PDB file of all heavy atoms in Angstrom:
ATOM      1  N   SER A   1     -66.872  89.697 -11.855  1.00  0.00           N
ATOM      2  CA  SER A   1     -66.038  88.584 -11.444  1.00  0.00           C
ATOM      3  C   SER A   1     -66.097  88.419  -9.898  1.00  0.00           C
ATOM      4  O   SER A   1     -66.511  89.341  -9.182  1.00  0.00           O
ATOM      5  CB  SER A   1     -64.585  88.825 -11.871  1.00  0.00           C
ATOM      6  OG  SER A   1     -64.063  90.012 -11.353  1.00  0.00           O
ATOM      7  N   ARG A   2     -65.656  87.341  -9.417  1.00  0.00           N
ATOM      8  CA  ARG A   2     -65.678  87.048  -7.984  1.00  0.00           C
ATOM      9  C   ARG A   2     -64.690  87.999  -7.227  1.00  0.00           C
ATOM     10  O   ARG A   2     -63.696  88.470  -7.818  1.00  0.00           O
ATOM     11  CB  ARG A   2     -65.283  85.621  -7.726  1.00  0.00           C
ATOM     12  CG  ARG A   2     -66.204  84.606  -8.302  1.00  0.00           C
ATOM     13  CD  ARG A   2     -65.826  83.203  -7.853  1.00  0.00           C
ATOM     14  NE  ARG A   2     -66.734  82.209  -8.407  1.00  0.00           N
ATOM     15  CZ  ARG A   2     -66.792  80.927  -7.971  1.00  0.00           C
ATOM     16  NH1 ARG A   2     -65.946  80.525  -7.027  1.00  0.00           N
ATOM     17  NH2 ARG A   2     -67.650  80.082  -8.538  1.00  0.00           N
ATOM     18  N   LEU A   3     -65.047  88.236  -6.004  1.00  0.00           N
ATOM     19  CA  LEU A   3     -64.163  89.058  -5.144  1.00  0.00           C
ATOM     20  C   LEU A   3     -62.939  88.224  -4.747  1.00  0.00           C
ATOM     21  O   LEU A   3     -63.063  87.008  -4.496  1.00  0.00           O
ATOM     22  CB  LEU A   3     -64.900  89.506  -3.893  1.00  0.00           C
ATOM     23  CG  LEU A   3     -66.102  90.490  -4.162  1.00  0.00           C
ATOM     24  CD1 LEU A   3     -66.744  90.830  -2.796  1.00  0.00           C
ATOM     25  CD2 LEU A   3     -65.696  91.708  -4.886  1.00  0.00           C
ATOM     26  N   ARG A   4     -61.793  88.869  -4.632  1.00  0.00           N
ATOM     27  CA  ARG A   4     -60.584  88.176  -4.263  1.00  0.00           C
ATOM     28  C   ARG A   4     -60.294  88.390  -2.776  1.00  0.00           C
ATOM     29  O   ARG A   4     -60.218  89.464  -2.287  1.00  0.00           O
ATOM     30  CB  ARG A   4     -59.412  88.756  -5.091  1.00  0.00           C
ATOM     31  CG  ARG A   4     -59.556  88.516  -6.605  1.00  0.00           C
ATOM     32  CD  ARG A   4     -58.423  89.149  -7.395  1.00  0.00           C
ATOM     33  NE  ARG A   4     -58.391  90.591  -7.291  1.00  0.00           N
ATOM     34  CZ  ARG A   4     -59.113  91.374  -8.072  1.00  0.00           C
ATOM     35  NH1 ARG A   4     -59.954  90.890  -9.013  1.00  0.00           N
ATOM     36  NH2 ARG A   4     -59.081  92.707  -7.901  1.00  0.00           N
ATOM     37  N   MET A   5     -60.169  87.256  -2.050  1.00  0.00           N
ATOM     38  CA  MET A   5     -60.002  87.255  -0.635  1.00  0.00           C
ATOM     39  C   MET A   5     -58.570  86.746  -0.260  1.00  0.00           C
ATOM     40  O   MET A   5     -58.076  85.838  -0.919  1.00  0.00           O
ATOM     41  CB  MET A   5     -61.023  86.345   0.045  1.00  0.00           C
ATOM     42  CG  MET A   5     -60.857  86.273   1.574  1.00  0.00           C
ATOM     43  SD  MET A   5     -62.155  85.209   2.343  1.00  0.00           S
ATOM     44  CE  MET A   5     -61.315  83.624   2.366  1.00  0.00           C
ATOM     45  N   GLY A   6     -57.973  87.412   0.709  1.00  0.00           N
ATOM     46  CA  GLY A   6     -56.752  86.901   1.337  1.00  0.00           C
ATOM     47  C   GLY A   6     -57.052  86.474   2.754  1.00  0.00           C
ATOM     48  O   GLY A   6     -58.086  86.849   3.341  1.00  0.00           O
ATOM     49  N   MET A   7     -56.190  85.660   3.324  1.00  0.00           N
ATOM     50  CA  MET A   7     -56.431  85.213   4.673  1.00  0.00           C
ATOM     51  C   MET A   7     -55.144  85.239   5.445  1.00  0.00           C
ATOM     52  O   MET A   7     -54.086  84.885   4.937  1.00  0.00           O
ATOM     53  CB  MET A   7     -57.025  83.788   4.688  1.00  0.00           C
ATOM     54  CG  MET A   7     -57.229  83.208   6.049  1.00  0.00           C
ATOM     55  SD  MET A   7     -58.189  81.646   6.086  1.00  0.00           S
ATOM     56  CE  MET A   7     -59.860  82.329   5.917  1.00  0.00           C
ATOM     57  N   VAL A   8     -55.204  85.755   6.698  1.00  0.00           N
ATOM     58  CA  VAL A   8     -54.093  85.684   7.600  1.00  0.00           C
ATOM     59  C   VAL A   8     -54.469  84.769   8.784  1.00  0.00           C
ATOM     60  O   VAL A   8     -55.443  85.002   9.464  1.00  0.00           O
ATOM     61  CB  VAL A   8     -53.707  87.078   8.121  1.00  0.00           C
ATOM     62  CG1 VAL A   8     -52.599  87.001   9.105  1.00  0.00           C
ATOM     63  CG2 VAL A   8     -53.306  88.031   6.945  1.00  0.00           C
ATOM     64  N   GLY A   9     -53.686  83.733   9.006  1.00  0.00           N
ATOM     65  CA  GLY A   9     -54.021  82.661   9.930  1.00  0.00           C
ATOM     66  C   GLY A   9     -54.798  81.598   9.245  1.00  0.00           C
ATOM     67  O   GLY A   9     -55.068  81.631   8.053  1.00  0.00           O
ATOM     68  N   GLY A  10     -55.262  80.611  10.108  1.00  0.00           N
ATOM     69  CA  GLY A  10     -56.132  79.573   9.525  1.00  0.00           C
ATOM     70  C   GLY A  10     -55.432  78.427   8.817  1.00  0.00           C
ATOM     71  O   GLY A  10     -56.068  77.715   8.044  1.00  0.00           O
ATOM     72  N   GLY A  11     -54.107  78.253   9.075  1.00  0.00           N
ATOM     73  CA  GLY A  11     -53.357  77.212   8.417  1.00  0.00           C
ATOM     74  C   GLY A  11     -53.478  75.866   9.103  1.00  0.00           C
ATOM     75  O   GLY A  11     -54.483  75.527   9.752  1.00  0.00           O
ATOM     76  N   GLU A  12     -52.434  75.060   8.981  1.00  0.00           N
ATOM     77  CA  GLU A  12     -52.402  73.684   9.552  1.00  0.00           C
ATOM     78  C   GLU A  12     -52.848  73.662  10.987  1.00  0.00           C
ATOM     79  O   GLU A  12     -52.356  74.469  11.823  1.00  0.00           O
ATOM     80  CB  GLU A  12     -51.022  73.083   9.381  1.00  0.00           C
ATOM     81  CG  GLU A  12     -50.563  72.834   7.994  1.00  0.00           C
ATOM     82  CD  GLU A  12     -49.181  72.269   7.963  1.00  0.00           C
ATOM     83  OE1 GLU A  12     -48.578  72.028   9.057  1.00  0.00           O
ATOM     84  OE2 GLU A  12     -48.628  72.029   6.855  1.00  0.00           O
ATOM     85  N   GLY A  13     -53.772  72.789  11.313  1.00  0.00           N
ATOM     86  CA  GLY A  13     -54.214  72.602  12.686  1.00  0.00           C
ATOM     87  C   GLY A  13     -55.202  73.629  13.202  1.00  0.00           C
ATOM     88  O   GLY A  13     -55.610  73.528  14.361  1.00  0.00           O
ATOM     89  N   ALA A  14     -55.614  74.597  12.411  1.00  0.00           N
ATOM     90  CA  ALA A  14     -56.526  75.632  12.833  1.00  0.00           C
ATOM     91  C   ALA A  14     -57.980  75.175  12.559  1.00  0.00           C
ATOM     92  O   ALA A  14     -58.251  74.582  11.503  1.00  0.00           O
ATOM     93  CB  ALA A  14     -56.267  76.939  12.128  1.00  0.00           C
ATOM     94  N   PHE A  15     -58.851  75.446  13.451  1.00  0.00           N
ATOM     95  CA  PHE A  15     -60.257  75.092  13.324  1.00  0.00           C
ATOM     96  C   PHE A  15     -61.040  76.162  12.564  1.00  0.00           C
ATOM     97  O   PHE A  15     -61.666  75.936  11.574  1.00  0.00           O
ATOM     98  CB  PHE A  15     -60.915  74.876  14.693  1.00  0.00           C
ATOM     99  CG  PHE A  15     -62.418  75.060  14.735  1.00  0.00           C
ATOM    100  CD1 PHE A  15     -63.259  74.247  13.984  1.00  0.00           C
ATOM    101  CD2 PHE A  15     -62.946  76.091  15.450  1.00  0.00           C
ATOM    102  CE1 PHE A  15     -64.648  74.442  13.998  1.00  0.00           C
ATOM    103  CE2 PHE A  15     -64.374  76.324  15.502  1.00  0.00           C
ATOM    104  CZ  PHE A  15     -65.165  75.477  14.743  1.00  0.00           C
ATOM    105  N   ILE A  16     -60.941  77.402  13.063  1.00  0.00           N
ATOM    106  CA  ILE A  16     -61.873  78.440  12.567  1.00  0.00           C
ATOM    107  C   ILE A  16     -61.517  78.909  11.187  1.00  0.00           C
ATOM    108  O   ILE A  16     -62.412  79.371  10.413  1.00  0.00           O
ATOM    109  CB  ILE A  16     -61.940  79.604  13.544  1.00  0.00           C
ATOM    110  CG1 ILE A  16     -63.284  80.393  13.421  1.00  0.00           C
ATOM    111  CG2 ILE A  16     -60.746  80.540  13.394  1.00  0.00           C
ATOM    112  CD1 ILE A  16     -64.502  79.585  13.746  1.00  0.00           C
ATOM    113  N   GLY A  17     -60.270  78.771  10.755  1.00  0.00           N
ATOM    114  CA  GLY A  17     -59.900  79.210   9.419  1.00  0.00           C
ATOM    115  C   GLY A  17     -60.654  78.422   8.378  1.00  0.00           C
ATOM    116  O   GLY A  17     -61.097  78.997   7.366  1.00  0.00           O
ATOM    117  N   ALA A  18     -60.774  77.111   8.542  1.00  0.00           N
ATOM    118  CA  ALA A  18     -61.484  76.308   7.578  1.00  0.00           C
ATOM    119  C   ALA A  18     -62.978  76.686   7.530  1.00  0.00           C
ATOM    120  O   ALA A  18     -63.594  76.688   6.465  1.00  0.00           O
ATOM    121  CB  ALA A  18     -61.369  74.842   7.949  1.00  0.00           C
ATOM    122  N   VAL A  19     -63.565  77.021   8.680  1.00  0.00           N
ATOM    123  CA  VAL A  19     -64.932  77.457   8.715  1.00  0.00           C
ATOM    124  C   VAL A  19     -65.098  78.746   7.936  1.00  0.00           C
ATOM    125  O   VAL A  19     -66.060  78.897   7.098  1.00  0.00           O
ATOM    126  CB  VAL A  19     -65.397  77.668  10.193  1.00  0.00           C
ATOM    127  CG1 VAL A  19     -66.733  78.335  10.247  1.00  0.00           C
ATOM    128  CG2 VAL A  19     -65.383  76.376  10.929  1.00  0.00           C
ATOM    129  N   HIS A  20     -64.198  79.711   8.083  1.00  0.00           N
ATOM    130  CA  HIS A  20     -64.238  80.960   7.354  1.00  0.00           C
ATOM    131  C   HIS A  20     -64.158  80.686   5.840  1.00  0.00           C
ATOM    132  O   HIS A  20     -64.892  81.304   5.047  1.00  0.00           O
ATOM    133  CB  HIS A  20     -63.135  81.882   7.746  1.00  0.00           C
ATOM    134  CG  HIS A  20     -63.388  82.622   9.039  1.00  0.00           C
ATOM    135  ND1 HIS A  20     -63.768  83.999   9.040  1.00  0.00           N
ATOM    136  CD2 HIS A  20     -63.338  82.269  10.338  1.00  0.00           C
ATOM    137  CE1 HIS A  20     -63.916  84.378  10.258  1.00  0.00           C
ATOM    138  NE2 HIS A  20     -63.640  83.351  11.072  1.00  0.00           N
ATOM    139  N   ARG A  21     -63.279  79.782   5.418  1.00  0.00           N
ATOM    140  CA  ARG A  21     -63.106  79.571   4.029  1.00  0.00           C
ATOM    141  C   ARG A  21     -64.361  78.864   3.402  1.00  0.00           C
ATOM    142  O   ARG A  21     -64.761  79.236   2.328  1.00  0.00           O
ATOM    143  CB  ARG A  21     -61.877  78.622   3.792  1.00  0.00           C
ATOM    144  CG  ARG A  21     -60.538  79.354   4.089  1.00  0.00           C
ATOM    145  CD  ARG A  21     -59.370  78.558   3.592  1.00  0.00           C
ATOM    146  NE  ARG A  21     -59.155  77.306   4.375  1.00  0.00           N
ATOM    147  CZ  ARG A  21     -58.397  77.227   5.469  1.00  0.00           C
ATOM    148  NH1 ARG A  21     -57.789  78.315   5.922  1.00  0.00           N
ATOM    149  NH2 ARG A  21     -58.222  76.054   6.081  1.00  0.00           N
ATOM    150  N   MET A  22     -64.922  77.941   4.118  1.00  0.00           N
ATOM    151  CA  MET A  22     -66.177  77.319   3.657  1.00  0.00           C
ATOM    152  C   MET A  22     -67.298  78.325   3.546  1.00  0.00           C
ATOM    153  O   MET A  22     -68.044  78.382   2.561  1.00  0.00           O
ATOM    154  CB  MET A  22     -66.590  76.180   4.567  1.00  0.00           C
ATOM    155  CG  MET A  22     -65.726  74.892   4.438  1.00  0.00           C
ATOM    156  SD  MET A  22     -66.397  73.532   5.441  1.00  0.00           S
ATOM    157  CE  MET A  22     -65.796  74.006   7.073  1.00  0.00           C
ATOM    158  N   ALA A  23     -67.402  79.201   4.518  1.00  0.00           N
ATOM    159  CA  ALA A  23     -68.454  80.209   4.537  1.00  0.00           C
ATOM    160  C   ALA A  23     -68.266  81.216   3.416  1.00  0.00           C
ATOM    161  O   ALA A  23     -69.229  81.560   2.723  1.00  0.00           O
ATOM    162  CB  ALA A  23     -68.500  80.928   5.883  1.00  0.00           C
ATOM    163  N   ALA A  24     -67.044  81.658   3.202  1.00  0.00           N
ATOM    164  CA  ALA A  24     -66.784  82.635   2.162  1.00  0.00           C
ATOM    165  C   ALA A  24     -67.077  82.057   0.768  1.00  0.00           C
ATOM    166  O   ALA A  24     -67.523  82.797  -0.126  1.00  0.00           O
ATOM    167  CB  ALA A  24     -65.366  83.113   2.242  1.00  0.00           C
ATOM    168  N   ALA A  25     -66.868  80.751   0.593  1.00  0.00           N
ATOM    169  CA  ALA A  25     -67.020  80.113  -0.680  1.00  0.00           C
ATOM    170  C   ALA A  25     -68.435  79.714  -0.984  1.00  0.00           C
ATOM    171  O   ALA A  25     -68.798  79.428  -2.157  1.00  0.00           O
ATOM    172  CB  ALA A  25     -66.107  78.883  -0.794  1.00  0.00           C
ATOM    173  N   LEU A  26     -69.295  79.711   0.010  1.00  0.00           N
ATOM    174  CA  LEU A  26     -70.623  79.078  -0.130  1.00  0.00           C
ATOM    175  C   LEU A  26     -71.481  79.672  -1.218  1.00  0.00           C
ATOM    176  O   LEU A  26     -72.171  78.922  -1.965  1.00  0.00           O
ATOM    177  CB  LEU A  26     -71.355  79.161   1.215  1.00  0.00           C
ATOM    178  CG  LEU A  26     -72.708  78.388   1.287  1.00  0.00           C
ATOM    179  CD1 LEU A  26     -72.445  76.870   1.062  1.00  0.00           C
ATOM    180  CD2 LEU A  26     -73.354  78.642   2.609  1.00  0.00           C
ATOM    181  N   ASP A  27     -71.480  80.964  -1.417  1.00  0.00           N
ATOM    182  CA  ASP A  27     -72.379  81.591  -2.401  1.00  0.00           C
ATOM    183  C   ASP A  27     -71.716  81.847  -3.747  1.00  0.00           C
ATOM    184  O   ASP A  27     -72.330  82.463  -4.607  1.00  0.00           O
ATOM    185  CB  ASP A  27     -72.907  82.865  -1.832  1.00  0.00           C
ATOM    186  CG  ASP A  27     -73.877  82.614  -0.662  1.00  0.00           C
ATOM    187  OD1 ASP A  27     -74.875  81.886  -0.846  1.00  0.00           O
ATOM    188  OD2 ASP A  27     -73.592  83.122   0.441  1.00  0.00           O
ATOM    189  N   GLY A  28     -70.458  81.354  -3.927  1.00  0.00           N
ATOM    190  CA  GLY A  28     -69.857  81.450  -5.253  1.00  0.00           C
ATOM    191  C   GLY A  28     -69.452  82.855  -5.627  1.00  0.00           C
ATOM    192  O   GLY A  28     -69.258  83.156  -6.816  1.00  0.00           O
ATOM    193  N   GLN A  29     -69.305  83.737  -4.661  1.00  0.00           N
ATOM    194  CA  GLN A  29     -68.935  85.135  -4.963  1.00  0.00           C
ATOM    195  C   GLN A  29     -67.478  85.504  -4.601  1.00  0.00           C
ATOM    196  O   GLN A  29     -66.993  86.554  -4.992  1.00  0.00           O
ATOM    197  CB  GLN A  29     -69.834  86.104  -4.176  1.00  0.00           C
ATOM    198  CG  GLN A  29     -71.299  86.019  -4.470  1.00  0.00           C
ATOM    199  CD  GLN A  29     -72.086  87.108  -3.789  1.00  0.00           C
ATOM    200  OE1 GLN A  29     -71.701  88.288  -3.845  1.00  0.00           O
ATOM    201  NE2 GLN A  29     -73.144  86.769  -3.116  1.00  0.00           N
ATOM    202  N   ILE A  30     -66.785  84.606  -3.888  1.00  0.00           N
ATOM    203  CA  ILE A  30     -65.489  84.918  -3.321  1.00  0.00           C
ATOM    204  C   ILE A  30     -64.511  83.805  -3.636  1.00  0.00           C
ATOM    205  O   ILE A  30     -64.827  82.586  -3.447  1.00  0.00           O
ATOM    206  CB  ILE A  30     -65.637  85.137  -1.789  1.00  0.00           C
ATOM    207  CG1 ILE A  30     -66.533  86.335  -1.530  1.00  0.00           C
ATOM    208  CG2 ILE A  30     -64.265  85.318  -1.142  1.00  0.00           C
ATOM    209  CD1 ILE A  30     -66.930  86.404  -0.011  1.00  0.00           C
ATOM    210  N   ASP A  31     -63.340  84.146  -4.000  1.00  0.00           N
ATOM    211  CA  ASP A  31     -62.257  83.192  -4.156  1.00  0.00           C
ATOM    212  C   ASP A  31     -61.065  83.537  -3.247  1.00  0.00           C
ATOM    213  O   ASP A  31     -60.670  84.709  -3.129  1.00  0.00           O
ATOM    214  CB  ASP A  31     -61.690  83.258  -5.619  1.00  0.00           C
ATOM    215  CG  ASP A  31     -62.594  82.551  -6.603  1.00  0.00           C
ATOM    216  OD1 ASP A  31     -63.330  81.632  -6.176  1.00  0.00           O
ATOM    217  OD2 ASP A  31     -62.632  82.982  -7.785  1.00  0.00           O
ATOM    218  N   LEU A  32     -60.564  82.520  -2.559  1.00  0.00           N
ATOM    219  CA  LEU A  32     -59.347  82.730  -1.786  1.00  0.00           C
ATOM    220  C   LEU A  32     -58.144  82.678  -2.720  1.00  0.00           C
ATOM    221  O   LEU A  32     -57.872  81.646  -3.377  1.00  0.00           O
ATOM    222  CB  LEU A  32     -59.199  81.631  -0.724  1.00  0.00           C
ATOM    223  CG  LEU A  32     -57.920  81.667   0.148  1.00  0.00           C
ATOM    224  CD1 LEU A  32     -57.940  82.888   1.050  1.00  0.00           C
ATOM    225  CD2 LEU A  32     -57.853  80.401   0.947  1.00  0.00           C
TER     226      LEU A  32
END
Protein backbone atom coordinates (compact mmCIF):
# COMPACT_ATOMS: atom_id res chain seq x y z
CA SER A 1 0.00 0.00 0.00
CA ARG A 2 1.00 3.63 -0.37
CA LEU A 3 3.07 5.34 2.26
CA ARG A 4 1.18 7.66 4.59
CA MET A 5 2.53 11.22 4.78
CA GLY A 6 1.79 13.99 7.22
CA MET A 7 2.65 17.64 6.70
CA VAL A 8 3.44 20.47 9.08
CA GLY A 9 3.06 23.89 7.45
CA GLY A 10 2.10 24.49 3.85
CA GLY A 11 -1.45 25.71 4.41
CA GLU A 12 -3.33 28.73 3.07
CA GLY A 13 -1.11 31.21 1.26
CA ALA A 14 2.00 29.00 1.34
CA PHE A 15 4.00 28.42 -1.85
CA ILE A 16 6.36 25.59 -1.08
CA GLY A 17 3.84 23.35 0.68
CA ALA A 18 1.87 22.86 -2.53
CA VAL A 19 5.09 22.04 -4.38
CA HIS A 20 5.94 19.36 -1.81
CA ARG A 21 2.46 17.85 -2.07
CA MET A 22 2.60 17.69 -5.87
CA ALA A 23 6.07 16.17 -5.76
CA ALA A 24 5.14 13.57 -3.16
CA ALA A 25 2.06 12.53 -5.15
CA LEU A 26 3.73 12.35 -8.56
CA ASP A 27 4.76 8.68 -8.55
CA GLY A 28 1.62 7.32 -6.89
CA GLN A 29 3.46 5.95 -3.86
CA ILE A 30 2.48 8.47 -1.19
CA ASP A 31 -0.80 9.76 0.22
CA LEU A 32 -1.19 12.86 2.38
